[in-house]
Amino acid sequence: VVVGAGFGGLEVARRLQRIDVDVTLIDQRNHHTFQPLLYQVATAGLDTDDICHSTRGILRKHPNARSVQATVVDVDFDGQLVRTLDGGSISYDTLVLALGAVTADFGVPGVAEHAFGLKSGAEALHIRNHVLRNFERAARSRDQAEQQAATTVVIVGGGPTGVEMAGGFAELFDKVLRRDFPELASTPPRVVLVEGQDRLLASFSPRLAATAEVRLGQMGVVVQTSTQVAAVNAASVELNSGEVIAASTVVWAAGVKAHPLAEAWGLETSRAGRVVVDAQLRVPGRSNVFVIGDLAAAHTSNGDLIPQVAPGAIQAGAYVAGLIAGTADSNAQFHYQDKGSMATIGRNAAVVELPSGRTVTGFAGWVAWLALHLVMLVGFRNRANVMVNWAWNYLTWDRGSRVIIDLDEDGAQNTNRVSD
Ligand SMILES: Cc1cc2nc3c(=O)[nH]c(=O)nc-3n(C[C@H](O)[C@H](O)[C@H](O)COP(=O)(O)OP(=O)(O)OC[C@H]3O[C@@H](n4cnc5c(N)ncnc54)[C@H](O)[C@@H]3O)c2cc1C
């Protein structure tokens, strides 16, 4: 039984396709989400369907696998049972926990109520709806302060997600919405990126971080480093400097913590709630329970925690599948291979850092970013859709996906923060 159809869980199921084992892949959603492109859904570059793929569709050609849509609430490790929210239970011989991570608010008041996280297609869609609704509201207003607040987006967290998001919004505002909303000509929309450390992209070299900051500045993004958020309110953000930014949209990209269920189940956890595992990614004392991906506190050969990135989850999934299938040396330890880091900063610009220390920036980096994301996307249809959308956006300076989809049946406005 594999819990979680993200990068890690899906890799386990796929690798066991031709092996004589029965695989049950459980996820709370009926689809896999390609999280690296969620920000493009939020900024109207892509649709959720382009980056999500039905789990049943993925497993259709796996005769030994079945997909179950259910929310796992408990695990009886002694009885070898996974319990689900609907009261059901599924028994296992071997369990792989790949529940991923959730947004961490670090105790900052108002984040849970007023800021958007970005972990699911639904959250990305809510951000897009919310921003577009606010532009419509601003266009009807005659109060310039209200217009400014309605068309200001504050992104908290200057890691790759925050940087990509800031670039995405800057392009959407400057190239698309400025033309769509002539009523707002005298109130240019604002994108503010707030980072607590003294520079953006802490996991990249200072030179690349500086490149990203300069580029964002050229795109009109206001970057505020060494700045902590003290509180998030319904229509403003309070900074520790005392400054208050009036903004109707706050996106919280400041960090994640491991899924809290594992801790609730009594599994030993380390930093940010990640489950302590041995060198074979097993829960100590439970040889038939593996934990992989963002949920696991696995270490590199240098003793560092493996970063919470897609390659870490995919490599762990492949490794665990090898142990389960018996195709890998049963004594082999998990070795994480660093594949480098990349972040795009809008059209024709990206920063790429390879494990060798080599860096690529500008157009070449951007093309590398596009190619890698296309290759990693699940499903040919999704790849084709994304490619067409990107080509369209690039050639026309347009964004096709800027429609407001009301998810509430009565069409009522959604609250800022939506959890699905
Ligand atoms: C906005 C964003 C951008 C990112 N960009 C990049 C990037 O550019 N490059 C990169 O390498 N990494 C990126 N990451 C990180 C990467 O997506 C994660 O490291 C990766 O998804 C971890 O894989 P996983 O399998 O551990 O968890 P996930 O992929 O998160 O999968 C966890 C799965 O568990 C399911 N689940 C959760 N709770 C339950 C439950 N109770 N019951 C049943 N199912 C449940 C979820 O629905 C989900 O499908 C990004 C992450 C985010 C959020």
Side-chain angles (χ1 to χ4, degrees):
V1 168
V2 181
V3 183
F7 284 105
L10 205 54
E11 190 66 18
V12 177
R14 282 167 147 180
R15 295 269 177 161
L16 293 175
Q17 183 180 8
R18 291 182 215 294
I19 306 296
D20 186 20
V21 289
D22 295 321
V23 178
T24 301
L25 180 58
I26 310 174
D27 200 287
Q28 62 192 350
R29 305 190 183 103
N30 79 336
H31 55 264
H32 165 78
T33 304
F34 189 80
Q35 293 176 12
L37 290 178
L38 279 174
Y39 87 92
Q40 294 224 351
V41 174
T43 58
L46 294 172
D47 269 317
T48 40
D49 279 14
D50 300 336
I51 66 158
C52 297
H53 201 296
S54 141
T55 317
R56 284 180 183 272
I58 298 168
L59 297 184
R60 194 186 284 166
K61 292 195 179 129
H62 295 227
N64 66 339
R66 70 180 179 127
S67 159
V68 173
Q69 184 186 1
T71 299
V72 170
V73 289
D74 200 3
V75 177
D76 173 354
F77 292 102
D78 294 327
Q80 301 193 184
L81 282 177
V82 170
R83 297 193 202 286
T84 54
L85 187 61
D86 55 11
S89 63
I90 297 169
S91 65
Y92 65 84
D93 299 315
T94 301
L95 178 66
V96 182
L97 293 172
L99 289 157
V102 297
T103 303
D105 66 8
F106 305 114
V108 175
V111 173
E113 297 83 0
H114 303 301
F116 289 93
L118 187 65
K119 288 294 291 174
S120 65
E123 281 181 318
L125 203 54
H126 278 295
I127 295 174
R128 187 180 93 189
N129 283 342
H130 183 78
V131 168
L132 294 174
R133 269 199 211 100
N134 273 303
F135 269 75
E136 293 291 351
R137 187 163 63 83
R140 290 193 310 274
S141 169
R142 293 186 189 279
D143 177 342
Q144 199 165 8
E146 190 187 346
Q147 283 185 337
Q148 187 66 78
T151 56
T152 297
V153 173
V154 175
I155 298 153
V156 187
T161 300
V163 165
E164 292 185 339
M165 191 88 169
F169 272 124
E171 275 186 353
L172 173 70
F173 289 1
D174 187 43
K175 307 291 179 223
V176 183
L177 297 188
R178 228 159 43 106
R179 285 187 284 160
D180 280 3
F181 290 87
E183 303 95 318
L184 300 175
S186 58
T187 317
R190 289 207 316 152
V191 182
V192 183
L193 177 60
V194 178
E195 164 57 43
Q197 298 195 39
D198 59 2
R199 68 176 176 95
L200 301 177
L201 298 176
S203 58
F204 290 65
S205 69
R207 192 175 62 80
L208 288 191
T211 305
E213 189 167 340
V214 168
R215 172 74 184 167
L216 285 174
Q218 289 164 347
M219 296 168 79
V221 175
V222 179
V223 178
Q224 292 190 229
T225 50
S226 304
T227 305
Q228 310 270 352
V229 168
V232 180
N233 306 312
S236 67
V237 179
E238 292 172 36
L239 306 180
N240 58 353
S241 59
E243 186 190 346
V244 177
I245 306 173
S248 295
T249 309
V250 179
V251 180
W252 191 259
V256 293
K257 61 181 180 193
H259 199 296
L261 271 184
E263 201 165 7
W265 298 337
L267 297 179
E268 188 190 346
T269 54
S270 76
R271 215 174 69 200
R274 293 165 74 173
V275 176
V276 172
V277 287
D278 65 17
Q280 291 200 313
L281 306 182
R282 297 176 206 263
V283 171
R286 299 212 178 265
S287 59
N288 62 341
V289 180
F290 295 94
V291 183
I292 62 170
D294 284 2
L295 187 63
H299 292 88
T300 64
S301 39
N302 302 335
D304 298 331
L305 268 179
I306 290 173
Q308 287 168 301
V309 290
I314 293 169
Q315 290 174 32
Y319 165 81
V320 163
L323 287 182
I324 294 170
T327 52
D329 172 2
S330 61
N331 295 316
Q333 300 189 349
F334 175 59
H335 286 293
Y336 168 68
Q337 202 189 348
D338 182 6
K339 302 272 186 186
S341 314
M342 50 172 53
T344 175
I345 323 147
R347 169 184 283 256
N348 296 344
V351 287
V352 179
E353 193 159 284
L354 300 172
S356 62
R358 227 189 116 208
T359 59
V360 188
T361 56
F363 184 71
W366 183 69
V367 171
W369 183 93
L370 292 181
L372 187 84
H373 283 75
L374 271 182
V375 168
M376 282 183 67
L377 258 175
V378 177
F380 179 76
R381 179 186 161 277
N382 285 21
R383 279 189 210 123
N385 276 353
V386 168
M387 216 157 71
V388 168
N389 270 311
W390 281 349
W392 176 265
N393 296 348
Y394 191 80
L395 295 173
T396 63
W397 294 86
D398 202 3
R399 301 275 170 110
S401 310
R402 57 185 191 280
V403 291
I404 298 171
I405 306 289
D406 270 311
L407 297 176
D408 295 349
E409 272 176 37
D410 61 0
Q413 296 244 329
N414 295 295
T415 53
N416 274 9
R417 168 79 191 207
V418 177
S419 66
D420 57 333

